[in-house]
Amino acid sequence: MLNPPEASPAGRTAVAAVVIVVTLILQVSVANRLPLPGGVQPDLVLLAVVALALVSGSMTGMVAGFLAGLAADIIPPADHTIGRYALVYCLIGFLCGVASAEMDRQSVVPFFAVAAGALAGTVLYAATGMILGDPRAEWATVSSMVPLQVLYDIIASPFVVWAVLRATRRYESGERARGDRLAVPAARYRAMSGRGGAL
């Protein structure tokens, strides 16, 4: 049987860009308006960056994280130092992309990875606020808001991960066929997106 043609890097980049843009729109227009207890909302953009990093590797995670974070820094209602989200999302995207190489053949692992990425991103954002002297980043406020933020991110993560996997599934084979060490094996994602199969 002939292998399907590999997807172009431009197509993969375009899909990642569309994922980030759609997630930003949903964050601003839907998630930020949810009247959830504690006054915090799920960070859909962070979840999308983590999912893209798990699917495409550290380089895509890092670039997508930086660009998504920069957009989140300037899109209203931006009320913090520009560059905080860019730094946090870039680091989280890179770390999740690197960690994805070590996660093999377990379909539930990506969801735990997304939860860990959400926790790390939330804590890192709060830490940068403390370093920069943000008055909202006092320990009492952070310690009460971080658990809720992570909980909401974990609840939203299956939907975001599923959507990202569906959007990027066409572009998985080409990168992994070349043996990219930082890319995630496809077996887990087949199981998650209903395609079945194992390596």
Side-chain angles (χ1 to χ4, degrees):
M1 175 188 286
L2 294 175
N3 291 328
E6 292 185 358
S8 70
R12 201 167 48 249
T13 302
V15 169
V18 168
V19 166
I20 293 300
V21 169
V22 169
T23 308
L24 281 164
I25 292 171
L26 289 174
Q27 182 70 49
V28 172
S29 62
V30 178
N32 286 351
R33 298 172 185 266
L34 294 175
L36 297 174
V40 294
Q41 292 78 31
D43 192 341
L44 303 182
V45 181
L46 174 61
L47 296 176
V49 168
V50 172
L52 284 170
L54 292 174
V55 169
S56 302
S58 60
M59 184 58 70
T60 298
M62 186 170 57
V63 173
F66 176 78
L67 295 177
L70 193 59
D73 281 326
I74 61 177
I75 290 178
D79 56 354
H80 56 271
T81 305
I82 291 180
R84 280 177 68 187
Y85 277 127
L87 172 64
V88 170
Y89 292 173
C90 180
L91 288 175
I92 296 301
F94 175 75
L95 293 174
C96 288
V98 169
S100 70
E102 307 303 325
M103 298 183 290
D104 258 336
R105 298 189 178 100
Q106 297 182 34
S107 62
V108 296
V109 170
F111 292 107
F112 289 114
V114 171
L119 172 61
T122 303
V123 170
L124 188 56
Y125 182 77
T128 58
M130 290 179 181
I131 292 170
L132 294 171
D134 187 340
R136 295 165 299 179
E138 295 176 353
W139 175 250
T141 305
V142 169
S143 62
S144 63
M145 292 181 69
V146 165
L148 278 176
Q149 177 78 57
V150 173
L151 174 64
Y152 295 151
D153 286 348
I154 291 172
I155 292 170
S157 65
F159 306 101
V160 176
V161 172
W162 178 85
V164 171
L165 293 178
R166 297 295 289 183
T168 60
R169 66 187 287 187
R170 176 179 172 192
Y171 299 97
E172 290 175 8
S173 61
E175 191 69 23
R176 292 189 189 90
R178 293 192 291 273
D180 179 9
R181 184 178 116 24
L182 301 181
V184 179
R188 288 181 300 141
Y189 298 104
R190 287 197 192 100
M192 290 170 57
S193 57
R195 285 177 283 162
L199 292 179

